[in-house]
Amino acid sequence: MLRIVRFGAFGALCLAVWFAVLSQDLGQYRRSALLAPLLPPVLLGLYMLALLVYGVLTFRTVPEAAAALQEDITAAKSDLASRGVI
Amino acid sequence: MKRPHKYSVLLPTYNERENIALVVWLLIKSFETSKLDFEIVIVDDNSPDGTQEVVQRLQQSYGHQRIILSPRAGKLGLGSAYVHGLKSATGDFVIIMDADLSHHPRYIPAFIRKQQEGNFDIVSGTRYAREGGVYGWDFKRKLTSRGANILASTLLQPGVSDLTGSFRLYRKHILDDLMPTCHSKGYAFQMEIMVKACQKGHTIGEVPIVFVDRLYGQSKLGGAEIKMFAIGLLRLLLWS
């Protein structure tokens, strides 16, 4: 089943539940019920933000790899020259 | 007796005269040290800088069995370059990687070991693991890369940490199946392959790699690239 179909079905279900809840007499909780759908996207956003902060902090810069590559390039050029390739 | 494996490396090239001999040399060194059967398939899009002449000299030196030149008439896109290259590939495993030395062939034995350990269909190189990383990227570039991957990973749940990475090992028949169905452009292309592979139930392992950006952070991240990524992500969200 396509992703969008699943999301759509789930979204429709949530919408139905939400309307059903809103049609009840909620008293002081009406405002909370009205704002409730905002919570999942906000939480998701905060979750992704946390992943991003952690992800960038742990994203290594590795100068040793660049240095090792330079050495490899030197060795390669020398051997390739002796083979007449470059 | 089980037939030994053969590894075909696909290298799409355009104006890689400077790098192609170096990457081929490093590939040969890596495979010969590990005593593995291999071939290198170079798909060149009619480079005006003489890339093909260098490839021909490599063929004279190392043999036409090891180095296969699969030329094309012009720049026809990455996906079709892989499809074209796959036709000439005779291995049972295929490795795709960048030809500009940002992907170091020394990681290939690690990819192969990982594949054998877990009997994986696909092994993907990840820059984000603790032992992985980059060189030559500033904070902004790291932020963009990580941000894009987190966005795509969270929304698509694809089973790998590095969705836009292009250093990967595949079973050949899987790539033969998947490649013609992938039409995204730019970074989204690598994402599409992975998402589709995951959906089909293929097993995916990961190996840490370090990506060395020798273009000093200029590696293709303009507005056009970002737009292609966003469009590709949207397509995958809606239609996969």
Tab-separated table of all heavy atoms in Angstrom, chain A residues 2-4 44 47-48 51-52 55-56 58-63 65-66 69-70 72-73 75-77 79-80 83-86, chain B residues 21 25 57-58 61-62 104 128 130-135 139 142-143 146-147 150 154 156 195 199 210 214 236-240:
chain	number	residue	atom	x	y	z
A	2	LEU	N	0.548	2.220	-0.754
A	2	LEU	CA	1.324	3.448	-0.799
A	2	LEU	C	1.345	4.105	0.564
A	2	LEU	O	0.358	4.107	1.296
A	2	LEU	CB	0.708	4.441	-1.801
A	2	LEU	CG	0.958	4.244	-3.300
A	2	LEU	CD1	0.382	5.435	-4.052
A	2	LEU	CD2	2.439	4.106	-3.615
A	3	ARG	N	2.500	4.719	0.874
A	3	ARG	CA	2.688	5.436	2.128
A	3	ARG	C	1.587	6.477	2.336
A	3	ARG	O	1.020	6.612	3.423
A	3	ARG	CB	4.063	6.117	2.071
A	3	ARG	CG	4.623	6.582	3.370
A	3	ARG	CD	5.923	7.329	3.109
A	3	ARG	NE	6.825	6.598	2.264
A	3	ARG	CZ	7.820	5.832	2.702
A	3	ARG	NH1	8.010	5.698	3.999
A	3	ARG	NH2	8.602	5.196	1.862
A	4	ILE	N	1.288	7.214	1.263
A	4	ILE	CA	0.357	8.328	1.375
A	4	ILE	C	-1.057	7.816	1.683
A	4	ILE	O	-1.840	8.478	2.370
A	4	ILE	CB	0.387	9.197	0.078
A	4	ILE	CG1	-0.369	10.499	0.287
A	4	ILE	CG2	-0.179	8.448	-1.112
A	4	ILE	CD1	0.332	11.450	1.228
A	44	LEU	N	7.296	16.078	17.246
A	44	LEU	CA	8.139	15.539	16.173
A	44	LEU	C	9.242	16.526	15.813
A	44	LEU	O	10.401	16.163	15.631
A	44	LEU	CB	7.284	15.214	14.939
A	44	LEU	CG	8.035	14.563	13.785
A	44	LEU	CD1	8.536	13.185	14.175
A	44	LEU	CD2	7.151	14.467	12.547
A	47	TYR	N	11.822	16.562	18.444
A	47	TYR	CA	12.600	15.331	18.360
A	47	TYR	C	13.658	15.443	17.263
A	47	TYR	O	14.838	15.135	17.468
A	47	TYR	CB	11.635	14.164	18.089
A	47	TYR	CG	12.296	12.865	17.726
A	47	TYR	CD1	13.034	12.148	18.664
A	47	TYR	CD2	12.184	12.334	16.437
A	47	TYR	CE1	13.641	10.945	18.326
A	47	TYR	CE2	12.783	11.143	16.096
A	47	TYR	CZ	13.509	10.451	17.040
A	47	TYR	OH	14.100	9.268	16.700
A	48	MET	N	13.226	15.927	16.092
A	48	MET	CA	14.169	16.044	14.970
A	48	MET	C	15.242	17.089	15.277
A	48	MET	O	16.402	16.932	14.894
A	48	MET	CB	13.426	16.382	13.671
A	48	MET	CG	12.568	15.241	13.170
A	48	MET	SD	12.213	15.316	11.389
A	48	MET	CE	11.153	16.716	11.343
A	51	LEU	N	17.749	15.449	17.445
A	51	LEU	CA	18.590	14.562	16.633
A	51	LEU	C	19.617	15.381	15.850
A	51	LEU	O	20.772	14.968	15.696
A	51	LEU	CB	17.742	13.782	15.627
A	51	LEU	CG	16.925	12.608	16.130
A	51	LEU	CD1	16.145	11.997	14.970
A	51	LEU	CD2	17.808	11.546	16.764
A	52	LEU	N	19.175	16.541	15.351
A	52	LEU	CA	20.061	17.384	14.558
A	52	LEU	C	21.219	17.927	15.405
A	52	LEU	O	22.378	17.874	14.999
A	52	LEU	CB	19.278	18.548	13.939
A	52	LEU	CG	20.072	19.500	13.056
A	52	LEU	CD1	20.676	18.768	11.867
A	52	LEU	CD2	19.183	20.646	12.568
A	55	GLY	N	23.403	15.102	16.196
A	55	GLY	CA	24.025	14.636	14.960
A	55	GLY	C	25.163	15.522	14.487
A	55	GLY	O	26.202	15.025	14.049
A	56	VAL	N	24.985	16.827	14.568
A	56	VAL	CA	26.043	17.730	14.123
A	56	VAL	C	27.209	17.729	15.109
A	56	VAL	O	28.373	17.769	14.718
A	56	VAL	CB	25.507	19.160	13.902
A	56	VAL	CG1	26.638	20.107	13.565
A	56	VAL	CG2	24.483	19.169	12.788
A	58	THR	N	28.216	15.246	16.827
A	58	THR	CA	28.978	13.994	16.721
A	58	THR	C	29.478	13.726	15.313
A	58	THR	O	30.036	12.667	15.032
A	58	THR	CB	28.115	12.791	17.166
A	58	THR	OG1	26.932	12.771	16.363
A	58	THR	CG2	27.772	12.865	18.621
A	59	PHE	N	29.311	14.682	14.403
A	59	PHE	CA	29.729	14.518	13.014
A	59	PHE	C	31.216	14.866	12.928
A	59	PHE	O	31.599	16.016	12.940
A	59	PHE	CB	28.888	15.472	12.153
A	59	PHE	CG	28.856	15.150	10.674
A	59	PHE	CD1	28.058	15.904	9.822
A	59	PHE	CD2	29.595	14.124	10.132
A	59	PHE	CE1	27.991	15.627	8.463
A	59	PHE	CE2	29.551	13.836	8.774
A	59	PHE	CZ	28.745	14.597	7.943
A	60	ARG	N	32.045	13.850	12.832
A	60	ARG	CA	33.488	14.063	12.961
A	60	ARG	C	34.129	14.718	11.742
A	60	ARG	O	33.750	14.446	10.601
A	60	ARG	CB	34.184	12.710	13.168
A	60	ARG	CG	33.872	12.025	14.469
A	60	ARG	CD	34.932	10.969	14.785
A	60	ARG	NE	35.230	10.073	13.678
A	60	ARG	CZ	36.379	9.413	13.548
A	60	ARG	NH1	37.353	9.561	14.435
A	60	ARG	NH2	36.563	8.597	12.527
A	61	THR	N	35.138	15.512	12.015
A	61	THR	CA	36.043	15.967	10.956
A	61	THR	C	37.322	15.174	11.144
A	61	THR	O	37.851	15.125	12.244
A	61	THR	CB	36.318	17.469	11.083
A	61	THR	OG1	35.154	18.178	10.669
A	61	THR	CG2	37.477	17.893	10.184
A	62	VAL	N	37.788	14.542	10.084
A	62	VAL	CA	38.916	13.606	10.209
A	62	VAL	C	40.094	14.024	9.325
A	62	VAL	O	40.218	13.581	8.185
A	62	VAL	CB	38.453	12.174	9.812
A	62	VAL	CG1	39.509	11.147	10.179
A	62	VAL	CG2	37.131	11.816	10.491
A	63	PRO	N	40.975	14.864	9.840
A	63	PRO	CA	42.120	15.314	9.044
A	63	PRO	C	43.084	14.174	8.680
A	63	PRO	O	43.748	14.237	7.637
A	63	PRO	CB	42.824	16.341	9.937
A	63	PRO	CG	42.128	16.341	11.232
A	63	PRO	CD	40.934	15.480	11.167
A	65	ALA	N	42.361	11.308	7.614
A	65	ALA	CA	41.929	10.669	6.366
A	65	ALA	C	42.439	11.463	5.163
A	65	ALA	O	42.876	10.880	4.164
A	65	ALA	CB	40.413	10.559	6.326
A	66	ALA	N	42.396	12.777	5.268
A	66	ALA	CA	42.873	13.621	4.172
A	66	ALA	C	44.388	13.462	4.011
A	66	ALA	O	44.897	13.388	2.889
A	66	ALA	CB	42.515	15.079	4.438
A	69	LEU	N	45.158	10.141	2.458
A	69	LEU	CA	44.819	10.177	1.028
A	69	LEU	C	45.937	10.843	0.239
A	69	LEU	O	46.322	10.372	-0.833
A	69	LEU	CB	43.496	10.917	0.813
A	69	LEU	CG	43.062	11.072	-0.644
A	69	LEU	CD1	42.829	9.716	-1.302
A	69	LEU	CD2	41.791	11.912	-0.731
A	70	GLN	N	46.468	11.938	0.761
A	70	GLN	CA	47.580	12.624	0.087
A	70	GLN	C	48.769	11.699	-0.112
A	70	GLN	O	49.380	11.680	-1.183
A	70	GLN	CB	48.011	13.860	0.884
A	70	GLN	CG	47.217	15.107	0.572
A	70	GLN	CD	47.106	15.366	-0.935
A	70	GLN	OE1	46.021	15.398	-1.487
A	70	GLN	NE2	48.243	15.521	-1.595
A	72	ASP	N	48.664	8.442	-0.256
A	72	ASP	CA	48.280	7.441	-1.253
A	72	ASP	C	48.390	8.007	-2.657
A	72	ASP	O	48.818	7.317	-3.585
A	72	ASP	CB	46.826	6.980	-1.011
A	72	ASP	CG	46.717	6.074	0.204
A	72	ASP	OD1	47.716	5.386	0.519
A	72	ASP	OD2	45.645	6.042	0.820
A	73	ILE	N	47.987	9.251	-2.814
A	73	ILE	CA	48.045	9.889	-4.126
A	73	ILE	C	49.485	9.977	-4.613
A	73	ILE	O	49.786	9.703	-5.781
A	73	ILE	CB	47.378	11.285	-4.096
A	73	ILE	CG1	45.865	11.130	-3.967
A	73	ILE	CG2	47.720	12.092	-5.343
A	73	ILE	CD1	45.126	12.435	-3.769
A	75	ALA	N	52.000	8.025	-3.761
A	75	ALA	CA	52.448	6.680	-4.120
A	75	ALA	C	51.856	6.256	-5.458
A	75	ALA	O	52.547	5.671	-6.303
A	75	ALA	CB	52.040	5.694	-3.018
A	76	ALA	N	50.580	6.561	-5.649
A	76	ALA	CA	49.901	6.190	-6.889
A	76	ALA	C	50.539	6.872	-8.093
A	76	ALA	O	50.831	6.227	-9.106
A	76	ALA	CB	48.425	6.535	-6.795
A	77	LYS	N	50.767	8.174	-7.969
A	77	LYS	CA	51.331	8.935	-9.093
A	77	LYS	C	52.690	8.382	-9.489
A	77	LYS	O	52.996	8.247	-10.677
A	77	LYS	CB	51.472	10.415	-8.719
A	77	LYS	CG	50.156	11.174	-8.821
A	77	LYS	CD	50.330	12.659	-8.520
A	77	LYS	CE	49.034	13.393	-8.804
A	77	LYS	NZ	49.067	14.787	-8.330
A	79	ASP	N	53.906	5.304	-9.051
A	79	ASP	CA	53.805	4.001	-9.707
A	79	ASP	C	53.180	4.112	-11.098
A	79	ASP	O	53.627	3.470	-12.050
A	79	ASP	CB	52.986	3.029	-8.845
A	79	ASP	CG	53.031	1.618	-9.389
A	79	ASP	OD1	54.151	1.125	-9.669
A	79	ASP	OD2	51.967	0.999	-9.573
A	80	LEU	N	52.159	4.961	-11.198
A	80	LEU	CA	51.492	5.128	-12.504
A	80	LEU	C	52.446	5.743	-13.530
A	80	LEU	O	52.409	5.391	-14.710
A	80	LEU	CB	50.242	5.998	-12.339
A	80	LEU	CG	49.066	5.312	-11.643
A	80	LEU	CD1	48.036	6.333	-11.194
A	80	LEU	CD2	48.413	4.287	-12.551
A	83	ARG	N	54.599	3.215	-14.923
A	83	ARG	CA	53.905	2.309	-15.850
A	83	ARG	C	53.520	2.997	-17.144
A	83	ARG	O	52.886	2.406	-18.024
A	83	ARG	CB	52.624	1.785	-15.190
A	83	ARG	CG	52.856	0.790	-14.082
A	83	ARG	CD	51.530	0.524	-13.354
A	83	ARG	NE	51.661	-0.547	-12.421
A	83	ARG	CZ	51.335	-1.815	-12.691
A	83	ARG	NH1	50.872	-2.128	-13.866
A	83	ARG	NH2	51.487	-2.734	-11.762
A	84	GLY	N	53.813	4.288	-17.215
A	84	GLY	CA	53.492	5.040	-18.428
A	84	GLY	C	52.028	5.444	-18.549
A	84	GLY	O	51.569	5.842	-19.620
A	85	VAL	N	51.289	5.357	-17.446
A	85	VAL	CA	49.868	5.727	-17.517
A	85	VAL	C	49.699	7.243	-17.414
A	85	VAL	O	48.868	7.843	-18.086
A	85	VAL	CB	49.059	5.034	-16.399
A	85	VAL	CG1	47.623	5.511	-16.380
A	85	VAL	CG2	49.120	3.519	-16.586
A	86	ILE	N	50.504	7.879	-16.512
A	86	ILE	CA	50.443	9.339	-16.393
A	86	ILE	C	51.829	9.930	-16.510
A	86	ILE	O	52.818	9.229	-16.400
A	86	ILE	CB	49.794	9.813	-15.071
A	86	ILE	CG1	50.507	9.200	-13.859
A	86	ILE	CG2	48.320	9.473	-15.042
A	86	ILE	CD1	50.045	9.803	-12.552
B	21	ALA	N	42.889	7.761	-12.905
B	21	ALA	CA	44.008	6.818	-12.762
B	21	ALA	C	44.297	6.551	-11.289
B	21	ALA	O	44.605	5.419	-10.891
B	21	ALA	CB	45.253	7.362	-13.453
B	25	TRP	N	44.024	2.959	-9.470
B	25	TRP	CA	45.222	2.413	-8.810
B	25	TRP	C	44.906	1.982	-7.386
B	25	TRP	O	45.292	0.887	-6.948
B	25	TRP	CB	46.325	3.471	-8.811
B	25	TRP	CG	47.679	2.965	-8.406
B	25	TRP	CD1	48.632	2.413	-9.208
B	25	TRP	CD2	48.243	2.981	-7.073
B	25	TRP	NE1	49.745	2.083	-8.477
B	25	TRP	CE2	49.543	2.423	-7.176
B	25	TRP	CE3	47.787	3.408	-5.821
B	25	TRP	CZ2	50.390	2.286	-6.068
B	25	TRP	CZ3	48.622	3.272	-4.714
B	25	TRP	CH2	49.904	2.712	-4.843
B	57	ARG	N	44.992	3.997	-21.394
B	57	ARG	CA	46.361	3.708	-20.925
B	57	ARG	C	46.321	2.776	-19.712
B	57	ARG	O	47.166	1.890	-19.558
B	57	ARG	CB	47.104	4.998	-20.594
B	57	ARG	CG	47.451	5.827	-21.834
B	57	ARG	CD	48.669	6.686	-21.590
B	57	ARG	NE	48.387	7.818	-20.706
B	57	ARG	CZ	47.925	8.996	-21.121
B	57	ARG	NH1	47.688	9.205	-22.394
B	57	ARG	NH2	47.712	9.961	-20.255
B	58	LEU	N	45.317	2.959	-18.864
B	58	LEU	CA	45.153	2.056	-17.719
B	58	LEU	C	44.875	0.642	-18.200
B	58	LEU	O	45.393	-0.340	-17.654
B	58	LEU	CB	44.002	2.528	-16.821
B	58	LEU	CG	44.284	3.735	-15.929
B	58	LEU	CD1	42.985	4.334	-15.410
B	58	LEU	CD2	45.180	3.349	-14.752
B	61	SER	N	47.957	-1.024	-19.304
B	61	SER	CA	48.827	-1.412	-18.204
B	61	SER	C	48.263	-2.545	-17.361
B	61	SER	O	48.992	-3.422	-16.918
B	61	SER	CB	49.076	-0.181	-17.326
B	61	SER	OG	50.132	-0.418	-16.444
B	62	TYR	N	46.964	-2.543	-17.125
B	62	TYR	CA	46.371	-3.507	-16.199
B	62	TYR	C	45.502	-4.560	-16.872
B	62	TYR	O	45.074	-5.505	-16.220
B	62	TYR	CB	45.541	-2.779	-15.136
B	62	TYR	CG	46.373	-1.932	-14.197
B	62	TYR	CD1	46.364	-0.545	-14.285
B	62	TYR	CD2	47.174	-2.526	-13.224
B	62	TYR	CE1	47.135	0.228	-13.436
B	62	TYR	CE2	47.950	-1.764	-12.372
B	62	TYR	CZ	47.921	-0.388	-12.485
B	62	TYR	OH	48.681	0.376	-11.649
B	104	HIS	N	37.285	6.531	-0.494
B	104	HIS	CA	38.574	5.848	-0.597
B	104	HIS	C	38.372	4.344	-0.758
B	104	HIS	O	37.689	3.717	0.069
B	104	HIS	CB	39.406	6.115	0.655
B	104	HIS	CG	40.867	5.863	0.468
B	104	HIS	ND1	41.355	4.659	0.014
B	104	HIS	CD2	41.953	6.646	0.680
B	104	HIS	CE1	42.669	4.717	-0.052
B	104	HIS	NE2	43.064	5.899	0.344
B	128	TYR	N	27.978	9.106	9.207
B	128	TYR	CA	27.469	9.594	10.490
B	128	TYR	C	27.787	8.694	11.666
B	128	TYR	O	27.563	9.075	12.794
B	128	TYR	CB	25.950	9.784	10.405
B	128	TYR	CG	25.528	10.698	9.276
B	128	TYR	CD1	24.512	10.336	8.407
B	128	TYR	CD2	26.153	11.927	9.081
B	128	TYR	CE1	24.132	11.170	7.364
B	128	TYR	CE2	25.774	12.766	8.044
B	128	TYR	CZ	24.767	12.385	7.191
B	128	TYR	OH	24.385	13.208	6.169
B	130	ARG	N	30.034	6.743	14.499
B	130	ARG	CA	31.104	7.257	15.360
B	130	ARG	C	32.482	7.148	14.712
B	130	ARG	O	33.344	7.995	14.907
B	130	ARG	CB	31.101	6.507	16.702
B	130	ARG	CG	30.797	7.396	17.871
B	130	ARG	CD	30.685	6.632	19.184
B	130	ARG	NE	30.574	5.211	19.093
B	130	ARG	CZ	31.476	4.348	19.586
B	130	ARG	NH1	32.561	4.801	20.169
B	130	ARG	NH2	31.280	3.058	19.484
B	131	GLU	N	32.685	6.068	13.953
B	131	GLU	CA	33.998	5.884	13.321
B	131	GLU	C	34.049	6.485	11.915
B	131	GLU	O	35.054	6.385	11.228
B	131	GLU	CB	34.334	4.386	13.232
B	131	GLU	CG	34.321	3.655	14.566
B	131	GLU	CD	32.923	3.256	14.989
B	131	GLU	OE1	32.048	3.141	14.105
B	131	GLU	OE2	32.690	3.084	16.200
B	132	GLY	N	32.948	7.105	11.497
B	132	GLY	CA	32.912	7.724	10.175
B	132	GLY	C	33.240	9.203	10.279
B	132	GLY	O	33.794	9.658	11.271
B	133	GLY	N	32.887	9.945	9.234
B	133	GLY	CA	33.121	11.385	9.294
B	133	GLY	C	33.362	11.985	7.928
B	133	GLY	O	33.123	11.346	6.898
B	134	VAL	N	33.832	13.235	7.946
B	134	VAL	CA	34.153	13.956	6.716
B	134	VAL	C	35.453	14.716	6.918
B	134	VAL	O	35.965	14.838	8.026
B	134	VAL	CB	33.068	14.988	6.323
B	134	VAL	CG1	31.792	14.316	5.901
B	134	VAL	CG2	32.825	15.960	7.446
B	135	TYR	N	35.967	15.243	5.802
B	135	TYR	CA	37.033	16.225	5.901
B	135	TYR	C	36.773	17.299	4.863
B	135	TYR	O	36.439	16.996	3.727
B	135	TYR	CB	38.418	15.604	5.664
B	135	TYR	CG	39.491	16.657	5.750
B	135	TYR	CD1	39.924	17.100	7.004
B	135	TYR	CD2	39.990	17.274	4.606
B	135	TYR	CE1	40.854	18.113	7.095
B	135	TYR	CE2	40.923	18.292	4.697
B	135	TYR	CZ	41.345	18.706	5.944
B	135	TYR	OH	42.268	19.716	6.044
B	139	PHE	N	30.887	24.025	9.351
B	139	PHE	CA	29.730	23.749	10.186
B	139	PHE	C	28.433	23.785	9.374
B	139	PHE	O	27.565	22.917	9.515
B	139	PHE	CB	29.670	24.755	11.334
B	139	PHE	CG	28.454	24.605	12.200
B	139	PHE	CD1	28.383	23.599	13.148
B	139	PHE	CD2	27.361	25.455	12.045
B	139	PHE	CE1	27.244	23.442	13.939
B	139	PHE	CE2	26.232	25.300	12.830
B	139	PHE	CZ	26.173	24.290	13.778
B	142	LYS	N	27.972	20.699	7.243
B	142	LYS	CA	27.642	19.544	8.090
B	142	LYS	C	26.183	19.622	8.525
B	142	LYS	O	25.465	18.620	8.551
B	142	LYS	CB	28.525	19.528	9.350
B	142	LYS	CG	29.925	19.028	9.153
B	142	LYS	CD	30.584	18.909	10.528
B	142	LYS	CE	32.004	18.454	10.443
B	142	LYS	NZ	32.613	18.345	11.789
B	143	LEU	N	25.767	20.827	8.886
B	143	LEU	CA	24.395	21.037	9.345
B	143	LEU	C	23.408	20.668	8.241
B	143	LEU	O	22.407	19.994	8.477
B	143	LEU	CB	24.224	22.500	9.753
B	143	LEU	CG	22.924	22.883	10.446
B	143	LEU	CD1	22.882	22.284	11.842
B	143	LEU	CD2	22.807	24.411	10.539
B	146	ARG	N	23.477	16.733	7.610
B	146	ARG	CA	22.833	16.025	8.710
B	146	ARG	C	21.345	16.339	8.764
B	146	ARG	O	20.515	15.454	8.952
B	146	ARG	CB	23.517	16.440	10.010
B	146	ARG	CG	23.607	15.414	11.097
B	146	ARG	CD	24.243	14.137	10.686
B	146	ARG	NE	24.510	13.292	11.817
B	146	ARG	CZ	23.842	12.191	12.119
B	146	ARG	NH1	22.847	11.794	11.379
B	146	ARG	NH2	24.174	11.489	13.188
B	147	GLY	N	21.006	17.604	8.589
B	147	GLY	CA	19.617	18.043	8.621
B	147	GLY	C	18.793	17.349	7.550
B	147	GLY	O	17.716	16.810	7.824
B	150	ILE	N	18.372	13.676	8.450
B	150	ILE	CA	17.460	13.456	9.568
B	150	ILE	C	16.021	13.643	9.109
B	150	ILE	O	15.133	12.847	9.436
B	150	ILE	CB	17.804	14.375	10.758
B	150	ILE	CG1	19.043	13.820	11.468
B	150	ILE	CG2	16.639	14.498	11.735
B	150	ILE	CD1	19.663	14.765	12.458
B	154	THR	N	13.623	10.395	9.158
B	154	THR	CA	12.472	10.389	10.064
B	154	THR	C	11.182	10.189	9.276
B	154	THR	O	10.307	9.433	9.678
B	154	THR	CB	12.389	11.703	10.854
B	154	THR	OG1	13.652	11.973	11.438
B	154	THR	CG2	11.337	11.630	11.939
B	156	LEU	N	10.865	8.924	6.124
B	156	LEU	CA	10.806	7.741	5.264
B	156	LEU	C	11.097	6.434	5.993
B	156	LEU	O	10.786	5.358	5.474
B	156	LEU	CB	11.794	7.889	4.097
B	156	LEU	CG	11.472	8.990	3.085
B	156	LEU	CD1	12.652	9.220	2.152
B	156	LEU	CD2	10.240	8.619	2.277
B	195	VAL	N	15.281	3.585	-0.304
B	195	VAL	CA	13.901	3.456	0.159
B	195	VAL	C	13.231	2.262	-0.524
B	195	VAL	O	12.561	1.449	0.121
B	195	VAL	CB	13.123	4.763	-0.117
B	195	VAL	CG1	11.633	4.572	0.056
B	195	VAL	CG2	13.616	5.865	0.802
B	199	GLN	N	11.840	-1.203	1.159
B	199	GLN	CA	10.451	-1.615	0.996
B	199	GLN	C	10.326	-3.036	0.466
B	199	GLN	O	9.391	-3.747	0.800
B	199	GLN	CB	9.736	-0.682	0.026
B	199	GLN	CG	9.289	0.598	0.671
B	199	GLN	CD	8.588	1.503	-0.303
B	199	GLN	OE1	8.901	1.513	-1.486
B	199	GLN	NE2	7.636	2.266	0.189
B	210	VAL	N	34.865	7.648	5.890
B	210	VAL	CA	35.175	9.076	5.961
B	210	VAL	C	35.162	9.617	4.537
B	210	VAL	O	35.812	9.073	3.647
B	210	VAL	CB	36.550	9.340	6.607
B	210	VAL	CG1	36.865	10.838	6.592
B	210	VAL	CG2	36.588	8.804	8.028
B	214	ARG	N	37.575	17.123	-1.511
B	214	ARG	CA	38.774	17.824	-1.968
B	214	ARG	C	38.430	19.080	-2.750
B	214	ARG	O	39.289	19.801	-3.204
B	214	ARG	CB	39.622	16.884	-2.815
B	214	ARG	CG	40.063	15.679	-1.996
B	214	ARG	CD	40.657	14.623	-2.872
B	214	ARG	NE	41.928	15.057	-3.410
B	214	ARG	CZ	42.317	14.856	-4.663
B	214	ARG	NH1	41.514	14.250	-5.497
B	214	ARG	NH2	43.487	15.254	-5.077
B	236	LEU	N	8.997	10.673	-2.964
B	236	LEU	CA	9.101	9.411	-2.225
B	236	LEU	C	8.036	9.337	-1.131
B	236	LEU	O	7.476	8.277	-0.861
B	236	LEU	CB	10.492	9.256	-1.617
B	236	LEU	CG	11.597	8.887	-2.614
B	236	LEU	CD1	12.961	8.999	-1.957
B	236	LEU	CD2	11.387	7.474	-3.149
B	237	LEU	N	7.746	10.461	-0.494
B	237	LEU	CA	6.735	10.465	0.558
B	237	LEU	C	5.343	10.164	0.001
B	237	LEU	O	4.559	9.458	0.621
B	237	LEU	CB	6.701	11.838	1.245
B	237	LEU	CG	7.752	12.073	2.307
B	237	LEU	CD1	7.743	13.531	2.745
B	237	LEU	CD2	7.514	11.167	3.508
B	238	LEU	N	5.091	10.723	-1.162
B	238	LEU	CA	3.751	10.594	-1.715
B	238	LEU	C	3.550	9.299	-2.505
B	238	LEU	O	2.489	8.708	-2.449
B	238	LEU	CB	3.452	11.783	-2.637
B	238	LEU	CG	3.337	13.150	-1.950
B	238	LEU	CD1	3.145	14.250	-2.967
B	238	LEU	CD2	2.192	13.149	-0.952
B	239	TRP	N	4.579	8.894	-3.229
B	239	TRP	CA	4.372	7.834	-4.193
B	239	TRP	C	5.157	6.577	-3.966
B	239	TRP	O	5.407	5.806	-4.874
B	239	TRP	CB	4.646	8.361	-5.613
B	239	TRP	CG	3.555	9.261	-6.086
B	239	TRP	CD1	2.245	8.936	-6.294
B	239	TRP	CD2	3.670	10.657	-6.364
B	239	TRP	NE1	1.545	10.035	-6.691
B	239	TRP	CE2	2.385	11.113	-6.746
B	239	TRP	CE3	4.712	11.569	-6.321
B	239	TRP	CZ2	2.130	12.434	-7.086
B	239	TRP	CZ3	4.469	12.886	-6.676
B	239	TRP	CH2	3.194	13.312	-7.054
B	240	SER	N	5.597	6.326	-2.741
B	240	SER	CA	6.262	5.035	-2.503
B	240	SER	C	5.623	4.346	-1.312
B	240	SER	O	4.774	4.938	-0.643
B	240	SER	CB	7.748	5.232	-2.271
B	240	SER	OG	7.962	5.887	-1.053
